[in-house]
Amino acid sequence: MKAADLIQNEPFADLLTATLSDFLTLRFGGEWRVAWKKATWPMEAQSWLVNLNINAIFRRGVSRHALENIRREFATSVIPWKRPFQRFYFWLATSATARFAAHAIVEIEPSIPDASQCLIIPGTHKIRFVDAAACIVYCYLKKGSPPAHFQAEIEARAFAADKGVPVPRILERLSDACIAEQMVVGTPLNRLTSREERADGLQRALNAMEPLYRSTARQASLAEYATGLLSQIKAIAAVREEIASTGVLALAQRLAGALGPADQMVELVRSHGDFQPGNILYDRGNIWLIDWEYSRERQRQYDLLTYSIQVRFPNDLAKRITAYAGSLPDASQLWRLRLFLLESILFDSEAVMVAISHYAPRSLIARLAEFEKALPSVLRDCGIT
Protein backbone atom coordinates (compact mmCIF):
# COMPACT_ATOMS: atom_id res chain seq x y z
CA MET A 1 0.00 0.00 0.00
CA LYS A 2 1.41 3.39 -0.94
CA ALA A 3 1.72 6.42 1.32
CA ALA A 4 -1.34 8.21 -0.12
CA ASP A 5 -3.51 5.37 1.22
CA LEU A 6 -1.56 4.73 4.42
CA ILE A 7 -1.83 8.32 5.62
CA GLN A 8 -5.63 8.04 5.53
CA ASN A 9 -5.75 4.95 7.69
CA GLU A 10 -2.94 5.02 10.25
CA PRO A 11 -0.82 7.50 12.27
CA PHE A 12 1.51 7.61 9.27
CA ALA A 13 3.72 10.53 10.30
CA ASP A 14 4.34 9.18 13.80
CA LEU A 15 5.13 5.68 12.57
CA LEU A 16 7.42 6.99 9.83
CA THR A 17 9.46 9.31 12.04
CA ALA A 18 9.84 6.75 14.83
CA THR A 19 10.88 4.03 12.40
CA LEU A 20 13.36 6.28 10.59
CA SER A 21 14.92 7.43 13.85
CA ASP A 22 15.53 3.82 14.91
CA PHE A 23 16.89 2.87 11.50
CA LEU A 24 19.33 5.79 11.32
CA THR A 25 20.67 4.94 14.76
CA LEU A 26 21.23 1.34 13.66
CA ARG A 27 22.76 2.34 10.34
CA PHE A 28 24.94 5.31 11.34
CA GLY A 29 25.06 5.24 15.15
CA GLY A 30 24.32 8.12 17.50
CA GLU A 31 21.04 9.87 18.21
CA TRP A 32 18.78 11.17 15.43
CA ARG A 33 15.93 13.67 15.43
CA VAL A 34 13.32 13.02 12.77
CA ALA A 35 10.35 15.40 12.58
CA TRP A 36 7.33 15.64 10.29
CA LYS A 37 6.16 19.10 9.21
CA LYS A 38 3.14 19.83 7.06
CA ALA A 39 4.54 23.11 5.77
CA THR A 40 7.09 22.69 3.00
CA TRP A 41 8.71 26.09 3.66
CA PRO A 42 10.90 27.26 5.28
CA MET A 43 13.19 24.26 5.40
CA GLU A 44 15.36 23.76 8.45
CA ALA A 45 17.93 21.08 9.29
CA GLN A 46 18.20 18.55 6.48
CA SER A 47 14.76 18.60 4.88
CA TRP A 48 13.33 15.76 2.84
CA LEU A 49 10.32 16.26 0.60
CA VAL A 50 7.36 13.92 1.07
CA ASN A 51 5.30 13.16 -2.03
CA LEU A 52 2.47 10.80 -1.18
CA ASN A 53 1.38 10.28 -4.79
CA ILE A 54 4.70 8.80 -5.91
CA ASN A 55 5.30 7.10 -2.54
CA ALA A 56 8.70 8.71 -2.03
CA ILE A 57 10.65 10.87 0.43
CA PHE A 58 13.78 12.52 -0.96
CA ARG A 59 16.07 15.53 -0.98
CA ARG A 60 15.61 18.15 -3.66
CA GLY A 61 18.19 17.34 -6.33
CA VAL A 62 18.06 13.59 -5.67
CA SER A 63 19.91 11.55 -8.30
CA ARG A 64 18.10 9.93 -11.21
CA HIS A 65 19.61 6.58 -10.23
CA ALA A 66 18.02 6.73 -6.78
CA LEU A 67 14.65 7.60 -8.34
CA GLU A 68 14.75 4.99 -11.11
CA ASN A 69 12.41 2.40 -9.61
CA ILE A 70 9.96 5.10 -8.51
CA ARG A 71 10.09 6.61 -11.99
CA ARG A 72 9.30 3.27 -13.59
CA GLU A 73 6.32 2.78 -11.31
CA PHE A 74 4.81 6.27 -11.24
CA ALA A 75 5.97 8.14 -14.35
CA THR A 76 3.97 6.12 -16.83
CA SER A 77 0.52 4.66 -17.35
CA VAL A 78 -0.86 1.71 -19.29
CA ILE A 79 -3.66 4.06 -20.41
CA PRO A 80 -2.25 5.95 -23.42
CA TRP A 81 -4.05 9.27 -22.92
CA LYS A 82 -2.85 9.48 -19.31
CA ARG A 83 0.84 9.05 -20.10
CA PRO A 84 1.79 12.66 -20.88
CA PHE A 85 0.02 13.91 -17.74
CA GLN A 86 1.65 11.28 -15.57
CA ARG A 87 5.11 12.02 -17.00
CA PHE A 88 4.57 15.73 -16.41
CA TYR A 89 3.48 15.21 -12.81
CA PHE A 90 6.48 13.00 -12.06
CA TRP A 91 8.81 15.63 -13.52
CA LEU A 92 7.08 18.33 -11.44
CA ALA A 93 7.29 16.20 -8.30
CA THR A 94 11.01 15.41 -8.62
CA SER A 95 12.58 18.41 -10.41
CA ALA A 96 13.70 21.77 -9.02
CA THR A 97 10.00 22.55 -8.52
CA ALA A 98 9.51 19.50 -6.27
CA ARG A 99 8.76 21.61 -3.19
CA PHE A 100 5.53 22.87 -4.78
CA ALA A 101 4.25 19.31 -5.34
CA ALA A 102 5.32 18.01 -1.91
CA HIS A 103 2.72 17.22 0.75
CA ALA A 104 5.04 17.64 3.75
CA ILE A 105 8.68 17.59 4.76
CA VAL A 106 10.67 15.33 7.05
CA GLU A 107 13.49 17.07 8.92
CA ILE A 108 16.47 14.95 9.91
CA GLU A 109 19.29 15.92 12.30
CA PRO A 110 22.19 15.38 12.01
CA SER A 111 22.36 15.31 8.23
CA ILE A 112 22.47 11.99 6.38
CA PRO A 113 25.68 11.82 4.35
CA ASP A 114 25.47 11.79 0.54
CA ALA A 115 21.70 12.31 0.80
CA SER A 116 21.28 13.09 -2.90
CA GLN A 117 21.93 9.39 -3.55
CA CYS A 118 19.28 8.26 -1.07
CA LEU A 119 15.54 7.68 -1.19
CA ILE A 120 13.01 6.65 1.47
CA ILE A 121 10.07 4.50 0.36
CA PRO A 122 7.23 3.95 2.88
CA GLY A 123 5.35 0.65 2.93
CA THR A 124 2.69 -1.31 4.77
CA HIS A 125 5.03 -3.34 6.99
CA LYS A 126 8.49 -1.95 6.29
CA ILE A 127 10.28 1.18 5.19
CA ARG A 128 12.91 0.97 2.47
CA PHE A 129 15.98 3.22 2.54
CA VAL A 130 17.67 3.26 -0.85
CA ASP A 131 21.42 3.94 -1.01
CA ALA A 132 21.85 4.21 -4.77
CA ALA A 133 25.58 4.97 -4.56
CA ALA A 134 26.21 1.59 -2.92
CA CYS A 135 23.36 -0.16 -4.83
CA ILE A 136 21.90 -1.27 -1.50
CA VAL A 137 18.36 -1.11 -0.16
CA TYR A 138 17.85 -1.29 3.61
CA CYS A 139 14.50 -2.80 4.66
CA TYR A 140 13.52 -1.83 8.20
CA LEU A 141 10.52 -3.20 10.08
CA LYS A 142 7.91 -0.50 10.55
CA LYS A 143 6.90 0.43 14.10
CA GLY A 144 3.86 -1.58 15.15
CA SER A 145 4.35 -4.34 12.57
CA PRO A 146 4.81 -7.88 13.94
CA PRO A 147 8.44 -9.05 13.92
CA ALA A 148 7.32 -12.61 13.12
CA HIS A 149 5.79 -11.37 9.86
CA PHE A 150 9.09 -9.77 8.87
CA GLN A 151 11.08 -12.86 9.77
CA ALA A 152 8.69 -15.02 7.76
CA GLU A 153 9.45 -12.95 4.67
CA ILE A 154 13.20 -13.22 5.16
CA GLU A 155 12.99 -16.98 5.59
CA ALA A 156 10.69 -17.36 2.56
CA ARG A 157 13.01 -15.28 0.37
CA ALA A 158 16.05 -17.25 1.45
CA PHE A 159 14.25 -20.52 0.75
CA ALA A 160 13.08 -19.33 -2.69
CA ALA A 161 16.53 -18.02 -3.59
CA ASP A 162 18.03 -21.39 -2.64
CA LYS A 163 15.71 -22.99 -5.22
CA GLY A 164 16.87 -20.57 -7.90
CA VAL A 165 13.95 -18.13 -7.83
CA PRO A 166 15.14 -14.60 -8.79
CA VAL A 167 14.72 -12.45 -5.68
CA PRO A 168 16.77 -9.43 -4.56
CA ARG A 169 19.75 -10.94 -2.78
CA ILE A 170 19.98 -10.37 0.97
CA LEU A 171 23.46 -8.96 1.63
CA GLU A 172 23.39 -8.60 5.40
CA ARG A 173 21.12 -8.90 8.43
CA LEU A 174 21.80 -5.83 10.53
CA SER A 175 19.29 -6.81 13.23
CA ASP A 176 16.05 -8.72 13.70
CA ALA A 177 14.31 -5.63 12.29
CA CYS A 178 16.60 -4.77 9.39
CA ILE A 179 18.20 -6.33 6.34
CA ALA A 180 20.35 -4.92 3.55
CA GLU A 181 19.48 -6.25 0.11
CA GLN A 182 20.75 -5.91 -3.44
CA MET A 183 19.25 -2.93 -5.26
CA VAL A 184 17.49 -4.18 -8.38
CA VAL A 185 15.93 -1.97 -11.05
CA GLY A 186 12.78 -3.11 -12.81
CA THR A 187 9.30 -2.09 -13.88
CA PRO A 188 6.25 -3.69 -12.22
CA LEU A 189 4.30 -5.69 -14.80
CA ASN A 190 1.22 -3.52 -14.33
CA ARG A 191 3.27 -0.46 -15.41
CA LEU A 192 4.64 -1.93 -18.62
CA THR A 193 3.11 -0.28 -21.68
CA SER A 194 3.95 -3.23 -23.95
CA ARG A 195 1.48 -6.10 -23.89
CA GLU A 196 4.21 -8.40 -25.21
CA GLU A 197 6.54 -7.48 -22.34
CA ARG A 198 3.77 -8.04 -19.78
CA ALA A 199 3.09 -11.49 -21.21
CA ASP A 200 6.83 -12.27 -21.32
CA GLY A 201 7.28 -11.10 -17.73
CA LEU A 202 4.41 -13.24 -16.49
CA GLN A 203 5.67 -16.34 -18.28
CA ARG A 204 9.20 -15.80 -16.97
CA ALA A 205 7.86 -15.37 -13.44
CA LEU A 206 5.81 -18.56 -13.66
CA ASN A 207 8.80 -20.46 -15.06
CA ALA A 208 10.98 -19.08 -12.26
CA MET A 209 8.55 -20.41 -9.63
CA GLU A 210 8.57 -23.95 -11.04
CA PRO A 211 11.71 -25.18 -9.17
CA LEU A 212 10.15 -23.99 -5.91
CA TYR A 213 6.87 -25.71 -6.73
CA ARG A 214 8.54 -28.98 -7.74
CA SER A 215 10.77 -29.15 -4.69
CA THR A 216 7.90 -28.61 -2.24
CA ALA A 217 5.04 -30.46 -3.99
CA ARG A 218 3.03 -33.01 -2.08
CA GLN A 219 -0.35 -34.68 -2.45
CA ALA A 220 -2.85 -34.08 0.34
CA SER A 221 -6.46 -34.84 1.15
CA LEU A 222 -8.59 -31.96 -0.08
CA ALA A 223 -11.02 -32.42 2.82
CA GLU A 224 -8.24 -32.33 5.42
CA TYR A 225 -6.59 -29.31 3.81
CA ALA A 226 -9.91 -27.41 3.66
CA THR A 227 -10.66 -28.31 7.28
CA GLY A 228 -7.28 -26.87 8.27
CA LEU A 229 -7.98 -23.62 6.39
CA LEU A 230 -11.40 -23.35 8.04
CA SER A 231 -9.90 -23.95 11.49
CA GLN A 232 -7.39 -21.14 10.97
CA ILE A 233 -10.13 -18.72 9.86
CA LYS A 234 -12.20 -19.71 12.93
CA ALA A 235 -9.22 -19.10 15.22
CA ILE A 236 -8.66 -15.61 13.78
CA ALA A 237 -12.36 -14.73 13.98
CA ALA A 238 -12.43 -15.90 17.61
CA VAL A 239 -9.82 -13.34 18.69
CA ARG A 240 -10.68 -10.42 16.40
CA GLU A 241 -14.26 -9.16 16.59
CA GLU A 242 -13.87 -6.87 13.58
CA ILE A 243 -13.09 -9.96 11.50
CA ALA A 244 -15.87 -12.12 12.97
CA SER A 245 -18.44 -9.36 12.38
CA THR A 246 -17.78 -9.41 8.61
CA GLY A 247 -19.51 -12.78 8.22
CA VAL A 248 -16.24 -14.27 7.03
CA LEU A 249 -16.80 -17.58 8.79
CA ALA A 250 -20.20 -18.26 7.21
CA LEU A 251 -18.82 -17.64 3.72
CA ALA A 252 -15.79 -19.82 4.39
CA GLN A 253 -18.00 -22.66 5.61
CA ARG A 254 -20.15 -22.51 2.46
CA LEU A 255 -17.08 -22.76 0.26
CA ALA A 256 -15.52 -25.56 2.34
CA GLY A 257 -18.78 -27.52 2.13
CA ALA A 258 -18.79 -27.38 -1.67
CA LEU A 259 -15.34 -28.73 -2.47
CA GLY A 260 -16.28 -32.20 -3.61
CA PRO A 261 -15.81 -35.88 -2.70
CA ALA A 262 -14.15 -36.80 0.58
CA ASP A 263 -11.44 -38.78 -1.23
CA GLN A 264 -10.45 -35.89 -3.54
CA MET A 265 -6.72 -35.07 -3.50
CA VAL A 266 -5.00 -31.74 -4.09
CA GLU A 267 -1.39 -30.88 -4.93
CA LEU A 268 0.09 -28.44 -2.43
CA VAL A 269 3.27 -26.40 -3.00
CA ARG A 270 5.12 -23.50 -1.41
CA SER A 271 3.50 -20.44 -3.04
CA HIS A 272 4.71 -16.87 -3.37
CA GLY A 273 1.41 -15.82 -1.80
CA ASP A 274 1.01 -12.34 -3.25
CA PHE A 275 1.72 -13.08 -6.91
CA GLN A 276 0.38 -9.85 -8.38
CA PRO A 277 1.78 -7.59 -11.15
CA GLY A 278 3.19 -5.06 -8.69
CA ASN A 279 5.37 -7.74 -7.10
CA ILE A 280 6.98 -8.83 -10.37
CA LEU A 281 9.72 -6.49 -11.62
CA TYR A 282 10.77 -6.70 -15.27
CA ASP A 283 13.80 -5.29 -17.04
CA ARG A 284 14.72 -6.28 -20.61
CA GLY A 285 13.90 -9.93 -20.10
CA ASN A 286 15.08 -10.17 -16.48
CA ILE A 287 12.58 -10.52 -13.64
CA TRP A 288 12.63 -10.32 -9.85
CA LEU A 289 9.93 -11.46 -7.45
CA ILE A 290 9.53 -9.27 -4.36
CA ASP A 291 7.39 -9.13 -1.19
CA TRP A 292 7.38 -12.72 0.09
CA GLU A 293 5.77 -12.13 3.49
CA TYR A 294 2.65 -14.17 2.62
CA SER A 295 4.50 -17.18 1.23
CA ARG A 296 3.14 -20.48 2.53
CA GLU A 297 1.82 -23.87 1.40
CA ARG A 298 -1.24 -23.63 -0.86
CA GLN A 299 -2.70 -25.36 -3.91
CA ARG A 300 -0.38 -25.29 -6.90
CA GLN A 301 -2.69 -23.00 -8.91
CA TYR A 302 -2.92 -20.36 -6.18
CA ASP A 303 -0.31 -17.93 -7.53
CA LEU A 304 -1.60 -18.10 -11.11
CA LEU A 305 -5.19 -17.58 -9.97
CA THR A 306 -4.12 -14.63 -7.81
CA TYR A 307 -2.61 -13.02 -10.90
CA SER A 308 -5.30 -14.02 -13.41
CA ILE A 309 -8.31 -12.99 -11.32
CA GLN A 310 -6.52 -9.96 -9.80
CA VAL A 311 -7.96 -10.94 -6.45
CA ARG A 312 -6.07 -8.22 -4.55
CA PHE A 313 -8.15 -5.52 -6.29
CA PRO A 314 -11.81 -5.40 -5.12
CA ASN A 315 -13.18 -3.23 -7.95
CA ASP A 316 -15.19 -5.48 -10.29
CA LEU A 317 -13.71 -8.55 -8.62
CA ALA A 318 -17.04 -10.42 -8.76
CA LYS A 319 -17.13 -9.93 -12.53
CA ARG A 320 -13.64 -11.37 -12.91
CA ILE A 321 -14.45 -14.39 -10.71
CA THR A 322 -17.67 -14.98 -12.63
CA ALA A 323 -15.86 -14.69 -15.96
CA TYR A 324 -13.23 -17.19 -14.84
CA ALA A 325 -15.91 -19.61 -13.60
CA GLY A 326 -17.68 -19.29 -16.95
CA SER A 327 -14.49 -20.02 -18.86
CA LEU A 328 -14.18 -23.50 -17.34
CA PRO A 329 -15.39 -26.33 -19.60
CA ASP A 330 -17.65 -27.86 -16.95
CA ALA A 331 -18.71 -27.39 -13.34
CA SER A 332 -16.64 -30.33 -12.13
CA GLN A 333 -13.55 -28.10 -12.36
CA LEU A 334 -14.98 -25.40 -10.12
CA TRP A 335 -13.64 -26.97 -6.94
CA ARG A 336 -10.23 -25.36 -7.51
CA LEU A 337 -11.84 -21.93 -7.71
CA ARG A 338 -13.82 -22.60 -4.53
CA LEU A 339 -10.65 -23.71 -2.78
CA PHE A 340 -8.85 -20.62 -4.07
CA LEU A 341 -11.53 -18.33 -2.61
CA LEU A 342 -11.27 -20.18 0.71
CA GLU A 343 -7.49 -19.73 0.67
CA SER A 344 -7.98 -16.05 -0.22
CA ILE A 345 -10.34 -15.55 2.73
CA LEU A 346 -7.62 -16.86 5.03
CA PHE A 347 -5.07 -14.59 3.32
CA ASP A 348 -7.25 -11.51 3.90
CA SER A 349 -8.05 -12.49 7.49
CA GLU A 350 -4.35 -12.91 8.28
CA ALA A 351 -3.60 -9.56 6.59
CA VAL A 352 -6.04 -7.85 8.97
CA MET A 353 -4.36 -9.58 11.93
CA VAL A 354 -0.93 -8.15 11.11
CA ALA A 355 -2.02 -4.75 9.77
CA ILE A 356 -1.44 -1.44 11.48
CA SER A 357 -3.82 0.28 9.08
CA HIS A 358 -7.50 0.76 9.95
CA TYR A 359 -8.14 0.23 6.24
CA ALA A 360 -7.56 -3.51 6.44
CA PRO A 361 -11.00 -4.54 7.87
CA ARG A 362 -12.73 -2.39 5.25
CA SER A 363 -10.66 -4.05 2.57
CA LEU A 364 -11.71 -7.48 3.86
CA ILE A 365 -15.37 -6.45 3.87
CA ALA A 366 -15.13 -5.16 0.28
CA ARG A 367 -13.54 -8.38 -0.95
CA LEU A 368 -16.03 -10.60 0.87
CA ALA A 369 -18.90 -8.65 -0.71
CA GLU A 370 -17.41 -9.35 -4.15
CA PHE A 371 -17.04 -13.05 -3.31
CA GLU A 372 -20.71 -13.16 -2.28
CA LYS A 373 -21.79 -11.59 -5.57
CA ALA A 374 -19.84 -14.22 -7.50
CA LEU A 375 -21.19 -17.22 -5.54
CA PRO A 376 -24.00 -18.15 -8.00
CA SER A 377 -21.37 -18.89 -10.64
CA VAL A 378 -18.88 -20.42 -8.21
CA LEU A 379 -21.36 -22.77 -6.53
CA ARG A 380 -23.44 -23.73 -9.56
CA ASP A 381 -24.45 -27.39 -9.82
CA CYS A 382 -23.18 -28.30 -6.36
CA GLY A 383 -26.49 -28.14 -4.49
CA ILE A 384 -25.42 -25.27 -2.21
CA THR A 385 -26.70 -21.72 -2.51
Side-chain angles (χ1 to χ4, degrees):
M1 191 181 296
K2 71 177 186 178
D5 299 314
L6 291 170
I7 201 167
Q8 302 296 323
N9 299 285
E10 67 181 28
F12 179 79
D14 292 341
L15 293 172
L16 175 75
T17 53
T19 303
L20 274 177
S21 178
D22 286 352
F23 164 71
L24 293 170
T25 295
L26 176 67
R27 172 67 183 84
F28 298 105
E31 296 295 323
W32 293 78
R33 184 186 74 86
V34 183
W36 174 282
K37 294 193 175 180
K38 290 183 179 180
T40 59
W41 193 264
M43 295 183 180
E44 299 175 2
Q46 189 184 64
S47 298
W48 294 62
L49 300 170
V50 179
N51 190 296
L52 303 173
N53 294 329
I54 64 171
N55 201 44
I57 302 170
F58 52 91
R59 290 280 289 161
R60 190 165 57 176
V62 62
S63 74
R64 290 176 60 86
H65 183 42
L67 283 172
E68 183 60 17
N69 275 320
I70 294 294
R71 182 190 68 77
R72 292 187 180 214
E73 184 169 1
F74 294 106
T76 189
S77 172
V78 293
I79 302 172
W81 69 265
K82 286 186 176 181
R83 288 174 197 162
F85 300 101
Q86 200 134 340
R87 281 196 297 266
F88 175 75
Y89 180 79
F90 188 82
W91 170 83
L92 183 70
T94 58
S95 67
T97 60
R99 179 172 64 84
F100 299 102
H103 300 91
I105 61 173
V106 169
E107 291 185 344
I108 298 177
E109 289 184 303
S111 296
I112 294 176
D114 206 11
S116 65
Q117 295 295 323
C118 299
L119 180 73
I120 299 165
I121 305 174
T124 305
H125 294 295
K126 54 185 176 285
I127 289 176
R128 291 183 169 94
F129 184 92
V130 178
D131 182 346
C135 290
I136 292 175
V137 178
Y138 296 92
C139 301
Y140 196 91
L141 181 67
K142 191 172 169 183
K143 283 283 189 181
S145 288
H149 194 63
F150 186 64
Q151 294 305 314
E153 177 180 9
I154 295 171
E155 291 165 9
R157 283 177 53 178
F159 187 80
D162 185 60
K163 303 303 178 184
V165 181
V167 301
R169 184 162 51 95
I170 296 175
L171 305 173
E172 182 183 0
R173 291 186 66 162
L174 284 76
S175 73
D176 288 342
C178 184
I179 61 170
E181 68 180 20
Q182 165 197 15
M183 178 182 174
V184 298
V185 176
T187 305
L189 293 195
N190 57 328
R191 297 292 182 172
L192 290 170
T193 57
S194 165
R195 184 175 301 176
E196 291 76 17
E197 286 189 327
R198 288 199 298 273
D200 181 52
L202 173 59
Q203 191 57 57
R204 288 176 183 272
L206 291 171
N207 291 344
M209 289 294 294
E210 273 301 313
L212 178 61
Y213 294 158
R214 287 196 301 268
S215 67
T216 58
R218 71 179 182 93
Q219 292 291 319
S221 161
L222 176 59
E224 291 179 6
Y225 177 57
T227 298
L229 296 174
L230 198 57
S231 295
Q232 292 175 74
I233 295 169
K234 285 180 180 178
I236 293 172
V239 298
R240 292 292 290 268
E241 174 56 32
E242 71 270 36
I243 297 177
S245 64
T246 64
V248 63
L249 191 53
L251 178 56
Q253 288 171 330
R254 290 165 74 186
L255 289 166
L259 288 176
D263 60 351
Q264 176 78 44
M265 302 296 286
V266 60
E267 184 181 22
L268 302 179
V269 300
R270 179 71 176 261
S271 68
H272 174 278
D274 199 10
F275 196 81
Q276 54 155 310
N279 287 336
I280 304 171
L281 303 183
Y282 181 90
D283 182 57
R284 294 172 291 184
N286 296 312
I287 60 119
W288 293 271
L289 292 164
I290 62 172
D291 290 349
W292 286 78
E293 58 260 53
Y294 293 104
S295 177
R296 58 176 291 174
E297 187 179 63
R298 298 182 178 91
Q299 66 166 307
R300 187 183 183 98
Q301 289 74 18
Y302 181 86
D303 285 335
L304 180 56
L305 287 171
T306 297
Y307 189 100
S308 302
I309 298 175
Q310 300 175 56
V311 73
R312 300 290 176 259
F313 307 98
N315 289 344
D316 295 323
L317 176 55
K319 292 181 181 178
R320 296 193 296 274
I321 295 172
T322 300
Y324 179 83
S327 72
L328 298 175
D330 59 77
S332 66
Q333 298 182 29
L334 280 168
W335 70 269
R336 290 194 182 281
L337 178 58
R338 295 166 190 155
L339 179 60
F340 171 71
L341 296 184
L342 183 60
E343 291 169 317
S344 296
I345 288 173
L346 177 57
F347 175 98
D348 288 323
S349 300
E350 289 178 332
V352 174
M353 284 289 290
V354 300
I356 306 170
S357 170
H358 301 304
Y359 173 80
R362 296 202 300 272
S363 178
L364 172 62
I365 291 168
R367 222 175 320 273
L368 292 177
E370 292 296 303
F371 288 177
E372 288 278 3
K373 282 191 246 179
L375 281 185
S377 63
V378 173
L379 297 178
R380 73 176 192 266
D381 299 333
C382 72
I384 298 178
T385 59

